[in-house]
Amino acid sequence: MVMTTNTSTNTSTNTVTGAGLDATANAITDAPASTAPQPRRIDFAKAARPVFRALIGFDAAAREGLDPALVELIQIRASHLNHCAYCLHMHTNDARKAGESEDRLHMVPVWREARHFFTPREQAALALTEAVTLVADRGVPDDVYAQAAAHFDDTELARVLSLILTINTWNRIALATGKMAGTDER
């Protein structure tokens, strides 16, 4: 996936409505990336240093006491759902460095169809990650929350939820500021 930043539009595109809009959007999406220079986006870490530091602290507190493999699985799944190539690249590399198998990494997007690769605890965390990440779709269903609560004590569950919140925030920062996969600018 190539992350591009489209900031200009053709005025004729702005006047298209209805089904024509869908066709125009598909044509734009399917078109090769522009070779025109892209506008500079802010360096969030520099422009909002106190916010960035607070988020780093929140992220570190969320991870505390959680299995590092579980942390990476959560971050990888949320990054898939958010289409954040920058974070997905970073966290799959971190998972590999921590000893995660290629088989499991390949199965994260289809974990429901490949449950035997993941423990029931990991499955509960992945389901909760999906529900919280896609919260606007249908909220966090009671059965998903109950399954997570059955596998994590209150403190762990609070940390898992916090981790899901932080990775979703990191994904949005990376996407909004045009971070490019493979640069790992931590």
Side-chain angles (χ1 to χ4, degrees):
M1 180 170 118
V2 176
M3 186 179 304
T4 60
T5 52
N6 295 328
T7 57
S8 63
T9 58
N10 182 324
T11 55
S12 63
T13 301
N14 292 336
T15 60
V16 177
T17 59
L21 180 60
D22 293 337
T24 303
N26 288 338
I28 292 169
T29 303
D30 295 338
S34 171
T35 56
Q38 298 298 316
R40 185 185 72 78
R41 300 226 179 168
I42 65 166
D43 179 336
F44 189 83
K46 290 180 183 173
R49 191 169 303 279
V51 175
F52 189 78
R53 286 184 182 155
L55 187 54
I56 289 172
F58 183 41
D59 188 278
R63 294 166 182 259
E64 191 176 311
L66 293 177
D67 174 27
L70 180 67
V71 168
E72 295 306 331
L73 291 175
I74 289 168
Q75 294 179 325
I76 289 166
R77 186 62 188 131
S79 297
H80 276 130
L81 295 170
N82 288 321
H83 302 271
C84 184
Y86 177 82
C87 293
L88 182 59
H89 183 265
M90 180 187 307
H91 293 295
T92 54
N93 281 340
D94 289 350
R96 282 184 193 98
K97 289 174 188 171
E100 189 60 73
S101 75
E102 289 297 318
D103 283 343
R104 282 174 35 104
L105 290 176
H106 292 300
M107 294 298 117
V108 173
V110 293
W111 67 269
R112 282 187 174 82
E113 292 78 22
R115 289 180 184 268
H116 61 285
F117 282 93
F118 304 99
T119 68
R121 182 176 165 97
E122 290 168 337
Q123 291 174 39
L126 290 168
L128 187 62
T129 299
E130 290 176 358
V132 173
T133 300
L134 303 173
V135 71
D137 292 349
R138 61 182 189 131
V140 178
D142 290 340
D143 63 321
V144 171
Y145 188 89
Q147 188 66 20
H151 289 281
F152 298 95
D153 66 31
D154 286 353
T155 301
E156 291 172 320
L157 184 56
R159 288 196 172 128
V160 166
L161 283 168
S162 297
L163 183 65
I164 295 166
L165 298 175
T166 60
I167 188 57
N168 275 280
T169 301
W170 288 123
N171 289 164
R172 283 153 176 75
I173 290 169
L175 291 166
T177 61
K179 293 288 194 184
M180 185 174 298
T183 59
D184 197 358
E185 300 170 351
R186 285 187 266 192

